[in-house]
Amino acid sequence: MRITVIGTGYLGATHAACMAELGFEVLGLDVDPARVVSLSQGRLPFHEPGLPELLKKHVESGRLRFTTSYQEAGAWGDVHFVGVGTPQLPGSGAADMSFVESAVLSLAQNISKDSLIVGKSTVPVGTARRLREIIRENKRPGVSVDIAWNPEFLREGFAVADTLAPDRLVIGVASPEHESVLRQVYAAAIADGVPLIATDFETAELVKVAANAFLATKISFINAFSELTEIAGGDIRTLADAIGLDERIGRRFLNAGVGFGGGCLPKDIRALQARAGELGLERSMRFLQEMDQINLRRRARVVWLSRSMLGSLSQRNIAVLGITFKPDSDDVRDSPGLDIANKLFEDGAEVTVYDPAGNANAHRRFPHLNYLGSLRDAVKNAELVLVLTEWEEFKALTPESLAALTPARKIIDGRNILEHSIWDDAGWSIGSLGRRYWPARNVPSQDAAQLEVSSGSVP
Ligand code: UDX
């Protein structure tokens, strides 16, 4: 069985390399010639642990190739996975479906042997059925082409492991034959005991958005309680530990902090609301609007806390450590850390930024910020240090190690990764999300209202 993977971003490049690792011959297709050249030379254009090695191994073995040609892919492949992006449409919460539609149309027009197209992108419910019509209307006569849906649940930073050993496989299929094709593709994982759920198109599409909506809700739930403990008193980490011990709740995804970002959760909950609205069910998913707002208010809270700790922001030196949306990634899409750094800059602060992997991508997005190549350089003249992504390098900070590098004795722990009593005892002033910082007791009402306003660059 020959496999093509259309779109070689995070999802597609990982899927292509992992399919090659499973023993298939794989052809990756991207409309970006520069990306195809880079991948063909075994160079991965983004950061993902373990993936560069896999890519190099299979490019060298000849099992994994890349092209820009739909004609080549359509003539060669038996199963065509589609993993192109569905970004948020500017000025709307809805997903931009143009890349998926164009990929499926190009495939339908170019497939010259019986094949199955398998959608992996995260899409609004109803997409697979609509694409099926596009395929029927555009495929070549005499060639059998149909569609299945197989959502991807991979997490950045764990993409290879999540693809090779997923916790479940979900496939939306229109016939037992298509189920059997996908069972062959995933035979190794199935043999290892990974559960496979075969269902209809709509359920398969919804499983993905429901999972992401649930995860976003879980994070915003604990962050809403942070808002309470910041004013009423209490410790959000202990609260999360205690409720997390209830097996029905579970501790994972209850880490309070600056909230969720990245290329999936924020856009997916907005796209789900938009789709529900189209279906006349706006109220059913309205709670997600609240989850989105809770999430964005966390960013405003860090700006507020910075101002409280420094007295004012104008021309004050602030070092921001961590601007990727999470550690072990260079992805700064909708990143809370980068959004906060930019907001502080807009409010007049002198911001220096350091991230172990995200500086280059962040520079492309906000070129006006001052990016430095090491923690040491970033904190050199700082009056306040913000830790906004939980990289190991920042988790390992101690009051003594940091005090040797910076005149600052003020720090904000945006991810609840530092042991507060140690910093307190060492004479540092430490602010955090989910614990009371003394000025918070007297938040004037206009400041409280300001916290309602989302910060900076909501895409
Ligand atoms: C997510 C889903 O986990 C994955 O299944 C889906 O396929 C794509 O979207 P990813 O975007 O890689 O994956 O990131 P994830 O690890 O889920 O984290 C999302 C965001 O939530 C990050 O910004 C992270 O810092 C934040 N987060 C996560 C918290 O703030 N608290 C938590 O407890 C967990």
Side-chain angles (χ1 to χ4, degrees):
M1 192 186 294
R2 289 163 159 185
I3 288 178
T4 81
V5 181
I6 314 301
T8 58
Y10 241 104
L11 196 173
T14 308
H15 193 67
C18 289
M19 288 294 113
E21 177 72 5
L22 291 175
F24 295 105
E25 280 187 81
V26 183
L27 180 63
L29 183 149
D30 206 289
V31 291
D32 176 358
R35 183 168 280 250
V36 166
V37 168
S38 163
L39 290 167
S40 300
Q41 293 169 350
R43 280 187 293 111
L44 191 68
F46 53 85
H47 178 91
E48 181 60 38
L51 191 54
E53 294 78 5
L54 218 56
L55 174 70
K56 194 162 172 290
K57 176 176 163 194
H58 294 297
V59 165
E60 281 172 4
S61 75
R63 213 186 279 164
L64 176 58
R65 296 182 299 119
F66 296 92
T67 182
T68 53
S69 164
Y70 273 101
Q71 207 180 1
E72 184 184 357
W76 186 84
D78 302 302
V79 177
H80 305 274
F81 284 99
V82 176
V84 296
T86 51
Q88 188 177 338
L89 275 172
S92 141
D96 180 351
M97 293 301 294
S98 60
F99 303 105
V100 171
E101 281 161 13
S102 146
V104 169
L105 178 62
S106 302
L107 276 174
Q109 289 168 338
N110 284 285
I111 285 174
S112 52
K113 62 190 214 184
D114 294 354
S115 358
L116 183 63
I117 297 175
V118 185
K120 287 197 86 63
S121 309
T122 303
V123 293
V125 60
T127 298
R129 219 164 274 286
R130 194 163 53 76
L131 294 175
R132 206 172 188 213
E133 287 312 307
I134 295 180
I135 295 167
R136 273 202 188 126
E137 285 161 16
N138 291 280
K139 73 179 182 64
R140 296 186 184 182
V143 182
S144 158
V145 187
D146 208 338
I147 193 160
W149 215 263
N150 168 218
E152 180 58 62
F153 304 102
L154 67 80
R155 297 160 300 164
E156 293 185 21
F158 302 90
V160 172
D162 284 351
T163 305
L164 290 175
D167 47 18
R168 81 287 211 193
L169 290 159
V170 176
I171 55 172
V173 283
S175 79
E177 292 75 38
H178 299 158
E179 179 177 339
S180 130
V181 169
L182 285 167
R183 281 186 180 276
Q184 280 178 57
V185 170
Y186 292 118
I190 295 167
D192 284 344
V194 174
L196 180 139
I197 295 168
T199 180
D200 52 59
F201 291 152
E202 288 75 15
T203 310
E205 291 163 337
L206 281 170
V207 167
K208 174 60 194 264
V209 287
N212 277 358
F214 191 87
L215 295 173
T217 300
K218 207 170 172 192
I219 300 166
S220 281
F221 178 90
I222 199 67
N223 282 336
F225 274 84
S226 280
E227 295 188 321
L228 266 182
T229 51
E230 280 156 12
I231 303 297
D235 182 332
I236 199 66
R237 235 169 35 168
T238 310
L239 176 70
D241 290 344
I243 63 170
L245 283 170
D246 183 331
E247 276 180 13
R248 295 167 302 174
I249 296 173
R251 180 63 177 81
R252 295 177 73 189
F253 272 68
L254 283 181
N255 292 325
V258 290
F260 58 81
C264 293
L265 299 192
K267 79 155 173 77
D268 288 351
I269 61 169
R270 293 170 196 152
L272 178 54
Q273 289 171 77
R275 183 65 183 136
E278 285 168 11
L279 295 168
L281 296 167
E282 197 264 339
R283 279 178 68 176
S284 304
M285 294 295 142
R286 194 179 289 163
F287 72 98
L288 290 174
Q289 195 180 333
E290 207 48 58
M291 299 307 130
D292 205 1
Q293 287 302 307
I294 293 165
N295 192 50
L296 295 171
R297 279 203 301 272
R298 294 289 73 198
R299 304 176 186 191
R301 174 73 184 178
V302 176
V303 174
W304 179 88
L305 201 50
S306 303
R307 187 179 283 114
S308 302
M309 290 174 80
L310 289 172
S312 81
L313 291 176
S314 181
Q315 296 187 320
R316 306 305 293 274
N317 240 300
I318 301 179
V320 172
L321 304 182
I323 32 110
T324 51
F325 83 104
K326 67 176 194 180
D328 291 322
S329 165
D330 64 355
D331 196 341
V332 298
R333 283 177 293 170
D334 208 343
S335 160
L338 187 55
D339 199 9
I340 289 165
N342 189 54
K343 186 76 176 70
L344 292 168
F345 172 87
E346 283 175 351
D347 286 359
E350 309 276 340
V351 182
T352 51
V353 177
Y354 165 67
D355 188 278
N359 279 10
N361 283 340
H363 184 267
R364 270 189 284 277
R365 176 104 174 76
F366 291 131
H368 49 271
L369 299 179
N370 185 14
Y371 300 94
L372 292 162
S374 70
L375 187 155
R376 174 183 291 271
D377 290 342
V379 302
K380 200 163 151 197
N381 299 313
E383 296 168 81
L384 169 68
V385 176
L386 308 189
V387 179
L388 302 181
T389 312
E390 63 275 43
W391 286 95
E392 286 302 327
E393 186 178 356
F394 308 149
K395 282 189 191 166
L397 285 172
T398 63
E400 294 72 32
S401 67
L402 192 55
L405 305 176
T406 178
R409 292 296 178 269
K410 293 180 175 155
I411 187 164
I412 294 179
D413 175 9
R415 293 285 183 176
N416 282 301
I417 51 173
L418 304 177
E419 210 41 70
H420 285 218
S421 56
I422 297 176
W423 292 78
D424 271 339
D425 293 348
W428 284 71
S429 176
I430 179 158
S432 75
L433 298 173
R435 273 175 270 201
R436 189 152 65 185
Y437 181 72
W438 62 267
R441 263 178 291 182
N442 305 313
V443 184
S445 54
Q446 72 268 31
D447 276 11
Q450 222 179 359
L451 293 179
E452 293 289 324
V453 180
S454 65
S455 71
S457 58
V458 184

